[in-house]
Amino acid sequence: MIIEHNIAKYIVFHEDTILHALGKISENESRIIFSVRENGILEGVLSDGDFRRWLVEQKEINLNQPVSVVSNKTFKSGLINESPESLGRYFSHTVDCLPLLDSQGRLVAIGKRGNGKIQIENREIDVNAPSFIIAEIGNNHNGSLIEAKKLIDEAVRAGADCAKFQMRDLDTLYQNKGKPDDPSADLGQQYTMDLLNKFQLKNDELFSAFDYCHEKGIIPLCTPFDKASLNNLENYGLQGYKVASADFTNHDLLQAMGRIGKPMICSTGMSTEQEVRQSIEFLKKNSNMYILLHCNSTYPTPLKDINLEYMDHLRELGNCMVGYSGHERGINVVLAAIARGAKVIEKHFTLDRTLEGNDHRVSLLPDEFSNMVRGIREIEESLGGNASRKLSQGELMNREVLGKSLYINRTIKKGEIISHDDLAVKSPGQGISPNQIDKLVGSTAVRDMEKGEIFFESDLKNKTIVPRKYSFNRPVGIPVRYHDWDKLSSPADLDFIEFHLSYKDLEENLENFFKGPLELEFTVHCPELFSGDHVLDLCSQDSKYRERSIREVQKVIDVTRDLKKYFPKSKKPVIVLNAGGHTQDAPLKVSERKKYYDLILDSLSKLDHKGIELIPQTMPPFPWHFGGQRFQNLFMDPQETAEFCQQNNYRVCLDISHSKLACNHHKWSFKKFVEVVAPFSALFHIVDGNGVDGEGLQIGEGDVDFVLLGEQLDELAPNIGFIPEIWQGHKNNGEGFWIALDKLEQWF
């Protein structure tokens, strides 16, 4: 069970309107609201089920009546001081949210059936969330608040979610009141008492460290080693507690924490199997939320003694999330724990391993901790969460190039029966895969085919997708190559075509493809890849690399000028550019991006593009290049893109898929993105996208709301043309483009 003390979002006053209460129910996402009187006394409960039952009984609906008219006066409630075990009995298949009252009947908290999620401040820990990484500072500040703040700063830079400290009340914790000069104490105890007396922060200093954590955006936690410390920390207002291995068998302290009702992260070192089982059973009866950390409390821990498999056993015993608290040297064991499902990681953290104190010697330095965090996040990303096999965009690209498909090895007419001897398995893999050969053998050809043509999915469906006259309130075109522009564009009533050039196309003789002036307009998409694996980058920090990129773009401009004589309707054709700004290993810092934009401007200024408009394209966060995926930095942020256009008199190509992926990755509003960038657009690439790198999808197969998009573009950029840039849409005589235009016609 989870106890929430911050209950404002669950409360309405009994005189508030039903409409106001419904709004609260929607906001808190718990399908329930509690109606109280001015003195906080619980008056009634209103769930969405209560409201529906009331609704069907009404002849006239008036949502401006007081909520007390509709609230349910028969409800279950518990007392705030009842044990978690006792409160758990109130829950049932119909009750999963329980009002908790004080002795006067005032609503003071909400009990919610546990759902496997634990919230500490603004950080949610659950099986689907990134692991919660704790930098265990402990007493490694050596009694200095200044050093504590330095450690907090470094923990933030290293990527920790939490900075954890320790608090002891030596007078009550130790039999001898923690005196380091007690001659009767054992050597180990004397050593420990000496360190604690020298290196503990005073309580007010520790609270100042917590405040500094909040200032720096990292969650503070603390291990209380006694009830007095727990009371001090509770008075400060910590939102969760760490239980030391030494106290996992201290049921008195566990019970005191459990009654507070805040999350507990419990290390299990130094406990026998029987003690672990006993303490887990005690937690189940006395605690609301807990996570168990596998731990071996030796400093440093020999690898042979770690036994990571015990994490699985803890998860089963506790029926809870588990994690790992490590005292071994290095980071490899932590990475293995993450791969085994650890959701909390705790490692000691120091600025100098040579300082006095046992913890320093098993602590990670800031760079080591940073490497650990990076490794954790990479492993988490690679683990995924989908048991089914799904092709990535990169795999699809390679499957096209390296895979194989079924081809016809003779000329065949529509209606003829296809035999096994008519089929050949060849590369590239642009059509149906060889494992579908049995579906073709014995079937009837749905179209005339020339020898060497490839079979597509539509050949199995007895349906051929063909172009028609489309009706849009803006210019519409399709992407083409020199060799297929006429075949694809002639059957459709298009306004323009966009040539997607390869670097080989720049060497072609245009007279081999075009005869006389045409009625179409045209645009050009500049190649991204050039000979020698040169990926276009107009802001490369390598001056020679950038100079070559400039030369290659100039070639594209010159070819575009040559094309104009075949397309006289295009007075000032646009060239779409992927201008660069990608990095190999990590994204740029925001503060570094301006100098890259400045380099792009400098590169563009060196180009002779009279009569041609160059338009950079909005980009995805992880573009696919030949050679792999990279990090994109420029022309993703909507404000940066708009400022680039406004300040330098440029327009852009708004690629819907690219920009949706950027919004997904950065948690931006795509609606707001379009509002900012669409007014500066010269062309739209309309295509769907999914996740953070699933670009080029067919309309309706991704995350884009095309109804809303159509309304926005009609308002913000009513005369700007578009192409459906469906990946591999040209296959099977443009089938992907025609499907996209059919779908888009209802919204554009």
Side-chain angles (χ1 to χ4, degrees), residues 522-549:
F522 81 104
T523 59
V524 166
H525 197 305
C526 179
E528 186 179 69
L529 178 72
F530 294 88
S531 63
D533 290 340
H534 182 92
V535 178
L536 187 70
D537 191 356
L538 295 176
C539 56
S540 172
Q541 301 299 289
D542 182 333
S543 59
K544 290 185 178 179
Y545 195 100
R546 185 164 71 99
E547 287 168 5
R548 181 183 170 186
S549 291

Side-chain angles (χ1 to χ4, degrees), residues 555-625:
K555 292 179 187 177
V556 177
I557 293 171
D558 295 341
V559 168
T560 303
R561 287 200 183 101
D562 291 340
L563 281 167
K564 283 178 67 175
K565 64 184 179 183
Y566 299 104
F567 299 88
K569 293 183 68 175
S570 295
K571 303 301 181 185
K572 193 175 184 179
V574 302
I575 298 177
V576 179
L577 289 170
N578 290 350
H582 46 263
T583 45
Q584 185 71 41
D585 300 316
L588 294 173
K589 294 180 180 178
V590 174
S591 59
E592 296 178 321
R593 296 202 293 241
K594 185 179 184 306
K595 67 180 181 182
Y596 286 79
Y597 279 112
D598 290 342
L599 279 174
I600 286 179
L601 287 169
D602 182 72
S603 297
L604 294 175
S605 71
K606 291 178 167 57
L607 294 164
D608 172 17
H609 55 90
K610 184 179 180 181
I612 304 293
E613 183 178 4
L614 301 175
I615 57 171
Q617 181 174 216
T618 62
M619 296 297 293
F622 306 105
W624 296 96
H625 295 132

Side-chain angles (χ1 to χ4, degrees), residues 132-294:
F132 186 68
I133 302 175
I134 300 172
E136 163 65 314
I137 293 172
N139 283 339
N140 279 357
H141 45 66
N142 283 28
S144 166
L145 179 58
I146 292 174
E147 291 302 307
K149 290 183 177 180
K150 288 180 182 178
L151 282 159
I152 292 167
D153 287 337
E154 290 300 327
V156 171
R157 275 192 279 272
D161 298 297
C162 168
K164 193 187 79 65
F165 297 86
Q166 299 173 3
M167 180 183 281
R168 296 170 175 86
D169 185 277
L170 297 181
D171 283 348
T172 62
L173 178 59
Y174 286 95
Q175 184 66 31
N176 66 356
K177 299 186 182 298
K179 295 177 181 178
D181 54 356
D182 182 356
S184 66
D186 291 340
L187 178 62
Q189 185 180 347
Q190 285 182 337
Y191 173 71
T192 301
M193 292 304 99
D194 185 42
L195 291 178
L196 292 177
N197 276 275
K198 285 194 296 186
F199 294 152
Q200 275 213 138
L201 287 174
K202 297 176 182 177
N203 288 355
D204 59 344
E205 292 176 320
L206 199 52
F207 298 155
S208 294
F210 298 163
D211 291 340
Y212 190 71
C213 285
H214 288 127
E215 181 182 329
K216 293 298 180 177
I218 191 170
I219 295 172
L221 284 183
C222 191
T223 298
F225 281 81
D226 48 78
K227 285 186 179 179
S229 297
L230 176 61
N231 291 335
N232 288 330
L233 294 171
E234 185 59 20
N235 288 335
Y236 173 82
L238 282 189
Q239 295 302 300
Y241 293 104
K242 172 70 197 333
V243 177
S245 289
D247 281 312
F248 192 58
T249 56
N250 183 356
H251 292 182
D252 189 45
L253 184 59
L254 293 182
Q255 186 176 56
M257 286 188 188
R259 285 174 175 166
I260 291 171
K262 292 179 180 176
M264 300 162 60
I265 300 174
C266 307
S267 286
T268 59
M270 298 189 292
S271 293
T272 67
E273 174 69 18
Q274 183 180 5
E275 289 169 337
V276 167
R277 290 175 178 268
Q278 288 173 343
S279 291
I280 288 174
E281 288 306 308
F282 189 85
L283 282 172
K284 289 179 178 178
K285 294 178 181 179
N286 293 276
S287 179
N288 303 305
M289 299 163 281
Y290 59 88
I291 296 173
L292 301 175
L293 303 189
H294 175 48

Side-chain angles (χ1 to χ4, degrees), residues 399 406 431-441 457 460:
R399 176 171 169 149
L406 293 170
I432 61 176
S433 60
N435 65 350
Q436 299 197 66
I437 191 169
D438 290 341
K439 294 181 181 179
L440 277 179
V441 173
E457 287 292 333
L460 299 174

Side-chain angles (χ1 to χ4, degrees), residues 28 85 106 198 205 306 382 513 550 624 641 651 727:
N28 68 37
E85 183 180 28
R106 293 177 297 214
K198 285 194 296 186
E205 292 176 320
I306 292 175
S382 70
F513 303 98
I550 294 171
W624 296 96
T641 303
R651 296 192 292 173
W727 185 68

